[in-house]
Amino acid sequence: MSKIKFGTSGWRGIIAEDFTFENVRIVTQAIADYLKDTKESEKGVVVGYDSRFLGERFAREAVSILLGNGIKSYLTKGPTPTPVISLEILRRKAGGAINFTASHNPPEYNGLKFSSSWGGPALPQATREVEILANKMLEKGTAYCRVPLEEAIDNGLCEEIESHEFYMQALEEKIDMSSIRKAGLKIAADLLYGAGIGYLDKAFESAGCEIKVLHNRYDPWFGGKAPDPSEKNLAELAQVVKSGGYNLGLAVDGDADRFGVIDADGRYIEPNYIIALLLDYLVRVKGLRGGAARSIATTHLIDAVAEKHNINVYETPVGFKYIGELIKEDKIIIGGEESAGLSIKGHVPEKDGILACLLVAEMVAVEGKTIGGLLEDLYKSVGRFVSARENIEIDVSAMGNLSVKMKEPPTLFAGFAVNNMRTAEDGGIKIFLAGGSWLLMRGSGTEPLVRLYGEARSKENLERIMKAGRDFITG
Ligand code: G16
């Protein structure tokens, strides 16, 4: 039996291989023990799930364990987006949440995201303790407490909760719905068979938009693809946008915490550019003040926009939990990651794909321009940045070899002088090159692969850097 391991966001495993009912019971018992130790258990726990295979069954099993430990559960009715679960923690003043989702991973995965009482993903100190407790149980034999769910419902220890209306109200406080309405935008949305169904589509309907919706029925097989709003997976949406004359194509992932954007001409816009554009919009047009946050893997275009507006940039390791903390502390206007996650000041300290899509629509409505047009304007004031990310299918343990291979910074990389080299908290290596380019190589904490990220001031230089990075990883 392999060990329980929490990665960048929760514990993920292949269903029936590692992600079994027995392991779910063990991990839930470990979380219950951790919550009892930290005195958060008295506040109750929100339990949710997305549209993955057996999600509701796993959630009900977790509720039975929590109840066996005398912990009250707030169980969501139906598949529920991760940001909605975050908002429910804050609304119920709960001790945390257990959310069954493997997010953007392929359909054979399920996962468990554990969130803290402040609404954000649990920090490494908490997940390490849960891991230790769970692995002890795995080694020594299980000792969980469990009561049948029906009994708990009868005792009032499990409350089924309806979140839709409350979340929609929270969105309406953050988004200028009337500008979206006035602009009469035509939107195409791809819900990728996930938990965003009934949320993203309904929000645009209530804003009075003409909306065409793709893949808006639950399918645990996600149409045979990972529910990841990547360029490849949004090819159908891009085609619909282009041929149907839509202003925007918008998408969310399986648990609706990531976003995907297609411009009016059918072009996929990398999340990096969206985060930088939104930062500029929130400061320049909405007059928000505060810092901005990005992960180590995210575009430095954000730094250039921040410099233009004279605001601070916080750089975090990969993982929205670190950005969530900055939102909680009210230090930033917006925080985002290249992996398509963002949230804003005053909203949940968790990434929210639905909010991101609505904000993009608001920006397009208010500015009266396409995303491509807005990006060209931004480049005129801060210069051009081009970035890329590739997934290289090598076992993550190969990262060990990478740090062995590159102990010392080379003098030249891809023909550019190396200015600096840093080892990231998760073992990744970031190399800063002359002329403002950089590259980062790191093992994913959600999938068995190595990620390569690069950024330059021209497409040609970016291609050179990416090729050198690829050769280095695979060589
Ligand atoms: C998770 C985390 C994100 C992280 C992403 C990629 O996203 O919540 O903060 O950026 O994984 O992580 P990695 O590169 O380690 O695979 P999600 O949407 O899968 O929960």
Side-chain angles (χ1 to χ4, degrees), residues 8 103-104 113 258 320 337 339 351 442 444-446 451:
T8 315
S103 197
H104 67 288
K113 288 186 177 179
R258 295 184 180 210
F320 205 81
E337 290 189 286
S339 57
K351 53 196 203 289
R442 56 177 283 278
S444 158
T446 61
R451 296 203 201 282

